[in-house]
Amino acid sequence: MKLYSRITGTGSYLPPRRLTNADLAAELAAKGVETSDEWIVERTGIRARHFAAPDVCSSDLGLEAARLALQAAGVQATDIDLIIVATSTPDMVFPSTACILQNKLGAHGGAAFDVQAVCSGFVYALSIADAMIKTGAATKALVIGAEVFSRILDFTDRTTCVLFGDGAGAVVLEASDTPGILASDLHADGKHAGILCVPGHVSGGQVLGDPLLKMDGQAVFKLAVGLLDTAARNTLAKAGKVAADVDWLVPHQANIRIMQSTARKLKLSMDKVIVTVDQHGNTSAASIPLALDTAVRAGRVKPGEMLLLEAVGGGFTWGALLLQL
Ligand code: UT7
C-alpha cells in the first residue's frame, strides 16, 4: 500500500456570464438596491463574478472542472474510484451531486458522496480523500468544489448579494510513494450556525423558512481572522513545518482584507498569496480549487512547492491543509 496521497492534476471552470461590479450595480439599481464598484472593491477586493445560466447546476460546472483535472493528471475517468463534491448548492435534495456528476463523467462504480461544510468544504473534502487513500479505501480520487451560489442570493440584500459567484474547481488525488498531503486541521462550532446560513428547508412539497443566504458579515469577519491563523499554525505544527516553509498560501477567496490579515499574522508577504477573489468573488467551496488551478495554469505554482490551504464557512466550520504539490 502506498503511504501518501498527492495531487496529480487540477482543473477549474467558470460559467461564461461575467458581471463586473458596475454590471451588477446597474442590475441592482433597477430593483432599487444601491451599491457601487467603489464600495465593493474597497470592502472586499471583488471586481467581478460569474453567474451560471438558470439551467446549469453545480454538477455541470464540476464536470467541466473534473474533465480538465483528469486531463492534466493523465488519468481516465474510468480509473477514478472516489468522487467527493464539496457543495452547499447541490443539484437536488438527493441523490448527491457527486453521484450525478459521476454518471455524467461515465466513472461508474466507485464511492461518491457530497461534503457539506460550506466555504470550508474543499479543505474538508481533500482531507477526507487523503485519509481514504492512506487507508487503502481509494487509490484515485476526484475532489471537487462546485457552487451555484447565485441561486441562494437575496438580490434585495446588498450586504450579501454583491459578494458571491458561481464556479467549480477540481483536483485528482492519487496514492503515491512520495508526499503529498502533509497535514490538516479541521474544526466546527455549531453555536455560530446563525451568523452564516440558508435557514429554509423542504417539507411536504414546499420550501419552509427562508431559502436565501443570511450573513452577519462583521461577526464572520471577526471569527475568521482569529480561527484561520490558529488552524494554519496547528497544521504547520502537525507537519513539523513553519510558516517560512510555505511557498504559497491558497486561501478561501472571501475578502482580500481577511487574506491580508492571515498573511500578516503568518509573516507571509502578499506576493506568496494566491488571490482570485477580484475576478471570481466568493465561490464558497469552489474558491480554493479555482484559485489553485488558476495559479497552476498561470505557471505561478509549480510541482514540488509547499502550499497552505485555509478556509472558514457556515457552520461555523474552519480548517487548513498543508501539501507539497
Ligand atoms: O465565505 C464565508 C465567509 N464570509 C466572509 O468571509 C465575509 C466576511 N465579512 C466581510 O467580508 C465583511 O464584513 C463585508 C464585506 C460583508 C462587509 O464589510 P464591512 O466593512 O464589515 O461593512 P459593514 O457591514 O460594516 O457595512 C458598512 C456600511 C453600512 O452602512 P452604514 O450602516 O455604515 O451606513 C452598510 O449598510 O456599508 C453599507 N453597505 C453597502 N454599501 C454599498 C453594506 N453593503 C453595501 C453594498 N454597497 N453592497
Side-chain angles (χ1 to χ4, degrees):
M1 205 169 77
K2 304 206 172 184
L3 280 177
Y4 302 103
S5 80
R6 209 167 62 80
I7 291 177
T8 54
T10 67
S12 63
Y13 181 75
L14 291 160
R17 184 168 174 241
R18 179 178 184 269
L19 282 93
T20 63
N21 290 344
D23 297 333
L24 184 60
E27 284 195 7
L28 293 175
K31 296 179 185 159
V33 177
E34 198 185 317
T35 188
S36 65
D37 174 55
E38 200 182 6
W39 188 95
I40 302 170
V41 171
E42 189 190 313
R43 302 289 176 130
T44 71
I46 298 167
R47 294 181 185 276
R49 76 285 293 137
H50 291 246
F51 284 160
D55 60 338
V56 170
C57 300
S58 287
S59 68
D60 298 312
L61 303 182
L63 178 67
E64 298 300 331
R67 282 185 174 142
L68 289 167
L70 287 169
Q71 202 175 54
V75 168
Q76 299 297 315
T78 46
D79 292 333
I80 292 294
D81 54 13
L82 170 66
I83 298 178
I84 308 180
V85 175
T87 187
S88 300
T89 46
D91 293 18
M92 300 181 189
V93 172
F94 70 79
S96 68
T97 303
C99 286
I100 296 168
L101 192 150
Q102 189 218 48
N103 183 47
K104 288 178 178 172
L105 198 58
H108 306 279
F113 59 93
D114 288 359
V115 163
Q116 164 58 292
V118 199
C119 303
S120 311
F122 185 77
V123 174
Y124 266 63
L126 197 53
S127 181
I128 294 164
D130 171 53
M132 288 181 71
I133 286 176
K134 282 178 177 155
T135 60
T139 57
K140 287 187 197 309
L142 261 173
V143 184
I144 299 160
E147 301 281 15
V148 283
F149 253 56
S150 58
R151 304 283 154 75
I152 53 167
L153 296 178
D154 177 354
F155 285 98
T156 65
D157 176 10
R158 69 177 182 173
T159 69
T160 53
C161 73
V162 302
L163 306 175
F164 295 89
D166 302 340
V171 301
V172 173
L173 192 74
E174 295 189 61
S176 164
D177 291 322
T178 53
I181 304 227
L182 300 173
S184 64
D185 190 55
L186 305 179
H187 298 276
D189 190 344
K191 78 169 178 265
H192 301 297
I195 64 171
L196 178 49
C197 58
V198 176
H201 66 283
V202 176
S203 176
Q206 290 187 324
V207 175
L208 298 187
D210 192 337
L212 300 177
L213 184 145
K214 308 268 169 268
M215 179 169 75
D216 177 345
Q218 286 191 5
V220 171
F221 195 103
K222 276 185 205 144
L223 264 180
V225 164
L227 295 172
L228 285 171
D229 181 53
T230 309
R233 287 179 194 283
N234 288 346
T235 307
L236 288 165
K238 284 182 191 178
K241 304 283 180 192
V242 292
D245 295 323
V246 173
D247 293 303
W248 296 101
L249 182 65
V250 190
H252 169 47
Q253 308 284 317
N255 187 317
I256 188 71
R257 292 186 290 141
I258 297 177
M259 293 185 238
Q260 287 163 340
S261 157
T262 310
R264 202 163 40 238
K265 288 185 176 189
L266 292 171
K267 296 195 168 57
L268 290 174
S269 107
M270 281 306 285
D271 297 344
K272 290 189 160 199
V273 182
I274 301 298
V275 176
T276 52
V277 70
D278 55 332
Q279 295 305 317
H280 301 166
N282 180 346
T283 57
S284 192
S287 94
I288 289 179
L290 251 167
L292 174 61
D293 182 56
T294 303
V296 166
R297 284 176 195 265
R300 292 184 76 198
V301 170
K302 298 184 189 67
E305 290 186 323
M306 186 89 72
L307 273 52
L308 182 61
L309 282 41
E310 40 95 332
V312 294
F316 208 72
T317 58
W318 67 99
L321 183 145
L322 188 72
L323 67 91
Q324 197 157 2
L325 200 62

